Amino acid sequence: MDKPAAPSLSRIADVARRAGVSTATVDRVLNRRPGVRAMTQQRVLTAASELDYMPAEDLMAAMRPKPMRLLFLLPEGTNRFLSSLGQLIAHSDGRLAPFNVRCQVDTIKSFNPELLARRLWQSRDKADGIAFMALEHPVVREAVDRLAEHGVPTVTLISDILNARRAAYIGLDNRSIGRTAGYLIARFLGERAAKVAMIAGSRSYRAHEEREMGFLHVFEELFPSIKVVGLREGHDDADRNYRQTRMLLGQHPDLAGIYNIGGAADGVARALKEMNRERDVVFIGHGLTSDTRGFLLDGTMDAVITQNQLNTMMSCVGIFDNLRAGRSAMHGIEAPRSEIIFRENIPALGS
């Protein structure tokens, strides 16, 4: 009796013929190289399975999508809210495992649009999506548009950019936030005439510019007896905020309120304490951190406007997951909500 013929080994050409693609495409799919549409990948893998081209475990590995590489590009410096957000992202592998993503956090010198635009474009082949704090500038807008054409979506974080092809914005309504800060200061001061001042990170951030506009408008509209005496830029740097605060208090000894539009509240607080003004100057700022918690508790700060860092991170990841799945960017994503924290309602650590 003749022996049964041994089963023939399927070759790449057979898989290509069955899937209706080229052998080069089969090679790209089976070796998990980019550049092949998801539908085509599925046809190739199905053909390989039907022809028993590869062991089941290898086929399952090939069918499993690669983790999505996400880059969070955050400003470096002494803004503790942003640095703690970066630490949260960097240590969230377990929390993000169900999304099949890998997150990397890079820092970049703040307030330099050319550098930001260059870093964005240089990251085009290293990330499948980029979340970053935008500067309002033509070269940044151009970089975002080029990334979109290259197939790399971007999400603006905390501060947005207009008329650019970013996929979404995750941040607060900053004009409303500025109005809220002004309203809080006015209510703390009561009916008396007074002077207040602002310290911004930089008006190159649309978020800071919009907060300034809202702050100014609420006094013009509702509290005309309160005079805003000026705006200083501290670039979210503690030492610079310290110097700006001392200068403001020197020029306006009767200053009754300070709104720190950006970060580095510790610089403002240090100046207030050194000049023994922490009890009579209403101080409103942003971002609940270990520093601002302490300033609320000791009475140096009167209120902190903040947003939940975990929700911010998860919203960004959810947006990129939506885009990968072909859903609209904001499908199932809630807009961030602001929280106003006083000494009496400080959340427990870790909550």
Side-chain angles (χ1 to χ4, degrees), residues 322-350:
N322 282 338
L323 295 173
R324 175 174 57 181
R327 298 184 292 264
S328 63
M330 296 301 293
H331 176 79
I333 306 295
E334 287 190 16
R337 299 178 182 179
S338 63
E339 300 176 74
I340 303 175
I341 308 298
F342 304 97
R343 182 172 59 182
E344 285 70 25
N345 71 337
I346 295 178
L349 286 171

Short mmCIF file of all heavy atoms in Angstrom, two decimals, residues 322-350:
data_model
loop_
_atom_site.label_atom_id
_atom_site.label_comp_id
_atom_site.label_asym_id
_atom_site.label_seq_id
_atom_site.Cartn_x
_atom_site.Cartn_y
_atom_site.Cartn_z
N ASN A 322 -10.47 55.93 20.54
CA ASN A 322 -11.58 56.15 19.62
C ASN A 322 -11.09 56.28 18.18
O ASN A 322 -11.67 55.69 17.25
CB ASN A 322 -12.34 57.43 20.01
CG ASN A 322 -13.27 57.22 21.19
OD1 ASN A 322 -13.68 56.10 21.48
ND2 ASN A 322 -13.60 58.30 21.86
N LEU A 323 -10.04 57.05 17.99
CA LEU A 323 -9.53 57.28 16.63
C LEU A 323 -9.00 55.98 16.03
O LEU A 323 -9.21 55.70 14.85
CB LEU A 323 -8.42 58.34 16.67
CG LEU A 323 -8.86 59.75 17.09
CD1 LEU A 323 -7.66 60.66 17.25
CD2 LEU A 323 -9.83 60.34 16.06
N ARG A 324 -8.32 55.17 16.84
CA ARG A 324 -7.81 53.89 16.35
C ARG A 324 -8.95 52.97 15.92
O ARG A 324 -8.83 52.22 14.94
CB ARG A 324 -6.97 53.21 17.43
CG ARG A 324 -6.49 51.82 17.07
CD ARG A 324 -5.53 51.25 18.09
NE ARG A 324 -6.12 51.20 19.44
CZ ARG A 324 -5.46 50.76 20.51
NH1 ARG A 324 -4.21 50.33 20.40
NH2 ARG A 324 -6.06 50.76 21.70
N ALA A 325 -10.09 53.05 16.66
CA ALA A 325 -11.23 52.18 16.36
C ALA A 325 -12.14 52.75 15.29
O ALA A 325 -13.15 52.12 14.94
CB ALA A 325 -12.02 51.93 17.64
N GLY A 326 -11.82 53.93 14.77
CA GLY A 326 -12.64 54.54 13.73
C GLY A 326 -13.85 55.28 14.25
O GLY A 326 -14.73 55.66 13.47
N ARG A 327 -13.90 55.52 15.57
CA ARG A 327 -14.99 56.30 16.14
C ARG A 327 -14.63 57.78 16.13
O ARG A 327 -13.48 58.16 15.92
CB ARG A 327 -15.28 55.85 17.58
CG ARG A 327 -15.73 54.40 17.70
CD ARG A 327 -16.07 54.06 19.15
NE ARG A 327 -14.90 54.08 20.01
CZ ARG A 327 -14.20 52.99 20.34
NH1 ARG A 327 -14.54 51.81 19.85
NH2 ARG A 327 -13.16 53.07 21.14
N SER A 328 -15.63 58.64 16.36
CA SER A 328 -15.34 60.06 16.48
C SER A 328 -14.49 60.30 17.71
O SER A 328 -14.58 59.55 18.71
CB SER A 328 -16.64 60.87 16.58
OG SER A 328 -17.36 60.52 17.75
N ALA A 329 -13.65 61.32 17.66
CA ALA A 329 -12.66 61.54 18.72
C ALA A 329 -13.28 61.63 20.10
O ALA A 329 -12.78 61.05 21.07
CB ALA A 329 -11.85 62.80 18.41
N MET A 330 -14.39 62.34 20.24
CA MET A 330 -14.96 62.62 21.55
C MET A 330 -16.07 61.63 21.93
O MET A 330 -16.80 61.89 22.89
CB MET A 330 -15.51 64.05 21.59
CG MET A 330 -14.45 65.13 21.44
SD MET A 330 -13.16 65.05 22.71
CE MET A 330 -14.11 65.49 24.18
N HIS A 331 -16.16 60.50 21.23
CA HIS A 331 -17.20 59.52 21.55
C HIS A 331 -17.02 59.02 22.98
O HIS A 331 -15.99 58.43 23.34
CB HIS A 331 -17.11 58.34 20.57
CG HIS A 331 -18.07 57.23 20.87
ND1 HIS A 331 -19.40 57.29 20.53
CD2 HIS A 331 -17.89 56.03 21.50
CE1 HIS A 331 -20.00 56.18 20.92
NE2 HIS A 331 -19.11 55.40 21.51
N GLY A 332 -18.02 59.26 23.81
CA GLY A 332 -17.99 58.79 25.19
C GLY A 332 -17.06 59.55 26.11
O GLY A 332 -16.85 59.15 27.26
N ILE A 333 -16.49 60.65 25.63
CA ILE A 333 -15.54 61.43 26.43
C ILE A 333 -16.26 62.64 27.03
O ILE A 333 -16.84 63.44 26.28
CB ILE A 333 -14.34 61.92 25.59
CG1 ILE A 333 -13.67 60.73 24.88
CG2 ILE A 333 -13.35 62.68 26.46
CD1 ILE A 333 -13.03 59.73 25.78
N GLU A 334 -16.20 62.80 28.33
CA GLU A 334 -16.80 63.95 28.97
C GLU A 334 -15.80 65.11 29.01
O GLU A 334 -14.61 64.90 29.22
CB GLU A 334 -17.21 63.62 30.41
CG GLU A 334 -18.44 62.74 30.52
CD GLU A 334 -18.94 62.63 31.95
OE1 GLU A 334 -18.53 63.47 32.79
OE2 GLU A 334 -19.72 61.72 32.22
N ALA A 335 -16.31 66.31 28.78
CA ALA A 335 -15.45 67.49 28.89
C ALA A 335 -14.97 67.64 30.33
O ALA A 335 -15.73 67.37 31.27
CB ALA A 335 -16.21 68.74 28.45
N PRO A 336 -13.71 68.03 30.54
CA PRO A 336 -13.22 68.20 31.91
C PRO A 336 -14.03 69.24 32.68
O PRO A 336 -14.53 70.21 32.10
CB PRO A 336 -11.78 68.68 31.71
CG PRO A 336 -11.41 68.25 30.34
CD PRO A 336 -12.67 68.31 29.54
N ARG A 337 -14.15 69.02 33.96
CA ARG A 337 -14.87 69.94 34.82
C ARG A 337 -13.90 70.62 35.78
O ARG A 337 -12.98 69.99 36.30
CB ARG A 337 -15.94 69.20 35.63
CG ARG A 337 -17.00 68.52 34.77
CD ARG A 337 -17.99 67.77 35.64
NE ARG A 337 -18.99 67.06 34.84
CZ ARG A 337 -19.95 66.31 35.36
NH1 ARG A 337 -20.04 66.17 36.68
NH2 ARG A 337 -20.82 65.70 34.58
N SER A 338 -14.13 71.89 36.01
CA SER A 338 -13.30 72.60 36.98
C SER A 338 -13.81 72.33 38.39
O SER A 338 -14.99 72.08 38.61
CB SER A 338 -13.32 74.11 36.69
OG SER A 338 -14.64 74.62 36.84
N GLU A 339 -12.89 72.36 39.32
CA GLU A 339 -13.21 72.24 40.73
C GLU A 339 -12.62 73.45 41.46
O GLU A 339 -11.50 73.86 41.16
CB GLU A 339 -12.63 70.96 41.33
CG GLU A 339 -13.13 69.67 40.69
CD GLU A 339 -12.43 68.46 41.28
OE1 GLU A 339 -12.74 68.09 42.43
OE2 GLU A 339 -11.56 67.91 40.60
N ILE A 340 -13.36 73.99 42.40
CA ILE A 340 -12.86 75.10 43.21
C ILE A 340 -12.60 74.55 44.61
O ILE A 340 -13.52 74.06 45.28
CB ILE A 340 -13.85 76.27 43.25
CG1 ILE A 340 -14.15 76.76 41.83
CG2 ILE A 340 -13.28 77.42 44.09
CD1 ILE A 340 -15.21 77.83 41.76
N ILE A 341 -11.35 74.63 45.03
CA ILE A 341 -10.94 74.06 46.32
C ILE A 341 -10.64 75.19 47.30
O ILE A 341 -9.85 76.09 47.00
CB ILE A 341 -9.70 73.16 46.15
CG1 ILE A 341 -9.92 72.13 45.03
CG2 ILE A 341 -9.36 72.47 47.46
CD1 ILE A 341 -11.05 71.18 45.27
N PHE A 342 -11.27 75.12 48.44
CA PHE A 342 -10.99 76.03 49.56
C PHE A 342 -10.35 75.21 50.68
O PHE A 342 -10.26 73.97 50.60
CB PHE A 342 -12.28 76.68 50.07
CG PHE A 342 -13.05 77.43 49.01
CD1 PHE A 342 -14.12 76.82 48.35
CD2 PHE A 342 -12.72 78.73 48.67
CE1 PHE A 342 -14.84 77.49 47.39
CE2 PHE A 342 -13.44 79.41 47.70
CZ PHE A 342 -14.50 78.80 47.05
N ARG A 343 -9.93 75.88 51.73
CA ARG A 343 -9.34 75.16 52.86
C ARG A 343 -10.34 74.16 53.44
O ARG A 343 -9.97 73.06 53.87
CB ARG A 343 -8.90 76.15 53.94
CG ARG A 343 -8.22 75.48 55.14
CD ARG A 343 -7.62 76.50 56.07
NE ARG A 343 -8.59 77.43 56.57
CZ ARG A 343 -8.31 78.45 57.39
NH1 ARG A 343 -7.06 78.65 57.75
NH2 ARG A 343 -9.26 79.27 57.81
N GLU A 344 -11.60 74.53 53.44
CA GLU A 344 -12.62 73.70 54.08
C GLU A 344 -13.05 72.48 53.27
O GLU A 344 -13.73 71.61 53.80
CB GLU A 344 -13.86 74.56 54.42
CG GLU A 344 -13.68 75.48 55.62
CD GLU A 344 -12.71 76.63 55.34
OE1 GLU A 344 -12.55 76.99 54.15
OE2 GLU A 344 -12.13 77.15 56.30
N ASN A 345 -12.70 72.41 52.01
CA ASN A 345 -13.12 71.23 51.22
C ASN A 345 -11.97 70.56 50.51
O ASN A 345 -12.15 69.91 49.48
CB ASN A 345 -14.22 71.63 50.21
CG ASN A 345 -13.69 72.48 49.07
OD1 ASN A 345 -12.66 73.14 49.19
ND2 ASN A 345 -14.39 72.49 47.94
N ILE A 346 -10.76 70.68 51.05
CA ILE A 346 -9.61 70.03 50.45
C ILE A 346 -9.82 68.51 50.44
O ILE A 346 -10.10 67.92 51.49
CB ILE A 346 -8.31 70.36 51.22
CG1 ILE A 346 -7.97 71.85 51.11
CG2 ILE A 346 -7.14 69.55 50.66
CD1 ILE A 346 -6.76 72.24 51.89
N PRO A 347 -9.71 67.87 49.29
CA PRO A 347 -9.89 66.41 49.26
C PRO A 347 -8.76 65.70 49.98
O PRO A 347 -7.65 66.22 50.08
CB PRO A 347 -9.91 66.09 47.76
CG PRO A 347 -9.20 67.22 47.11
CD PRO A 347 -9.45 68.44 47.95
N ALA A 348 -9.05 64.51 50.46
CA ALA A 348 -8.02 63.72 51.13
C ALA A 348 -6.91 63.39 50.15
O ALA A 348 -7.12 63.27 48.94
CB ALA A 348 -8.64 62.43 51.69
N LEU A 349 -5.70 63.25 50.66
CA LEU A 349 -4.56 62.89 49.81
C LEU A 349 -4.83 61.56 49.11
O LEU A 349 -5.33 60.61 49.72
CB LEU A 349 -3.29 62.77 50.65
CG LEU A 349 -2.67 64.09 51.12
CD1 LEU A 349 -1.56 63.82 52.12
CD2 LEU A 349 -2.13 64.88 49.94
N GLY A 350 -4.52 61.53 47.82
CA GLY A 350 -4.71 60.31 47.05
C GLY A 350 -6.08 60.16 46.44
O GLY A 350 -6.32 59.22 45.70
#
